[in-house]
Amino acid sequence: MSVEDGAYHTLLARHDAMRLRRRLLSPGGAPEETGTGAASPASDEAYDGAADQHTILRTLDLVAPFDQLITRLYEALFARHPALRSLFPASMEFQQAHLARALWYLIEHLDRPETIAERFEQLGRDHRKLGVRPAQYAAFEAALCEALRARAGERWTPELEEAWVRMLRCGVRAMVRGADSALREPASWRATVTRHQLLTPGLAVLRARPHETYRYRPGQHATVESARLPHAWRPYHLAGAPRADGEVEFHIRMTGPGGVSEALVEHTAAGDEIRLGPPKGALALGDTAGHGELLLVAWDTGWAAAKALLHQLDQQLAEPRQTAPRPPVRLLLGADEPSGPYDREYVAGFAEARPWLTVVSVSAGAPGEGRYDRLARAATRSGGPAPGRALLAGPPAMVRAVASALTRAGLPAERLCHDPLPPGLHAGARPAPLPESPEAHIAYAGGEFADRPEPLEPRERSIPA
């Protein structure tokens, strides 16, 4: 971190402290204004987003395609506020794709403000690590309006602009609430790497000890920043249940040269410092009693999430007061490599000491098959009875394939657990799908609309010496 960055983050910490003090002293702990003219949180309840949704969808062709709208937005933002450019990574392509998805999420859920509130409150909490503050949303709103007017030209009207602004402020109010609710915790956690083990070429297990208490739930994931690539964040599942010594573990697959994954896999060692974003995610063990078999399905580094859930279950079963019958657990581990999953020795040893656990390794589909067809068949036992509950961790295509197979086999939706999937996309003005990678499902699933994954063209970036 440079001297300028250090001073900036010190200022942000002081700003948070003042906001927290104002919130504690104000009646009812009411959050501050956003600076965009947004009303109080209660206004979400009175907001009729369905009318604005109809207006925006009806006239969407005026501003399409989305990628050009987003490009124009950032041009306007950085022209008006050059200092904000330092908050973003050098490559903006992934950033723009995630912003497009955020806007699409708003449009598609505008008739359900409570759904927007839940997702965007988490997004606002997570954006604290990026240095985003409420007043900066006003700059973003002005840039969006300029981009909309530029794309639509003479056909743009004040009524259309008001609909877009109301939609944006609905999301911003939720983000500000989420950020305010997290003022008692750090915006990000500095952590020192304590162990770095290269399991195979391009795959590393990294352990780190946060400098402050880091509380997470098994199944969650966190974004990680390498000091070599400031402002570039990559999401990874937290492997294993919380440890007594406070250390956290990540399984990191290198997805290409020049990005965060390469920095963490090939250019990180014990003693180096990284930063962690707040934990998040919907994957959770939940209540396992009385539902029959528990099915865990993981692909590649999705094993990190399954490992955390298995550790949690093992701890629960070891409790002296545990009286509920132990549910049988079936773990399906999928991998592209013919040799099988990367951590198979550990998995075999763990399962050998736990008779309630059955492990099945599954390879990718044969030529002519879908990549996850074999895994889907194994999950449903080729038409056998559905499990009592299923937890899935892997790329979106894998989760979707296995979830569909289990649903067809009779598993109720409420007994199927995984992080949210990206919406199905079709031709038209909608943003194009992001390229899939071993960790891409986390970026989608955790609501990381505007986080900073790997650049699309990482070869243009080099790792500092």
Side-chain angles (χ1 to χ4, degrees), residues 261-281:
S261 62
E262 184 191 12
L264 294 174
V265 172
E266 296 192 349
H267 302 276
T268 299
D272 290 346
E273 189 172 294
I274 59 176
R275 277 204 301 158
L276 311 178
K280 67 183 104 174

Side-chain angles (χ1 to χ4, degrees), residues 2 7 18 38 76 148 163 182 211 248 257 278 310 318 327 353 368 394 410 433:
S2 67
M18 289 188 290
L148 290 167
H211 299 181
V248 294
L310 284 173

Side-chain angles (χ1 to χ4, degrees), residues 38 42 47 65 87 185 217 221 225 235 241 320 376-377 389 394 414 421 431 455:
Y47 174 48
L87 297 179
E185 68 181 28
R217 172 181 45 73
H221 57 270
E225 179 200 57
R377 287 198 300 269
R389 195 158 181 267
E414 63 271 15
L421 293 170

Side-chain angles (χ1 to χ4, degrees), residues 285 288 294 309-318 327 329 356:
L285 192 59
T288 60
L294 175 65
L309 295 168
L310 284 173
H311 284 187
Q312 181 186 17
L313 182 60
D314 194 43
Q315 292 173 359
Q316 290 179 358
L317 296 177
V329 180
W356 45 265

Side-chain angles (χ1 to χ4, degrees), residues 134-179:
Q136 293 166 346
Y137 291 120
F140 183 88
E141 178 183 302
L144 174 62
C145 291
E146 180 176 327
L148 290 167
R149 290 192 292 267
R151 291 294 305 158
E154 295 180 354
R155 295 177 295 175
W156 196 244
T157 67
E159 292 74 23
L160 294 179
E161 186 165 312
E162 289 170 4
W164 277 83
V165 168
R166 283 191 294 267
M167 176 186 72
L168 178 64
R169 290 180 180 178
C170 177
V172 166
R173 283 193 295 271
M175 291 182 69
V176 172
R177 287 197 301 271

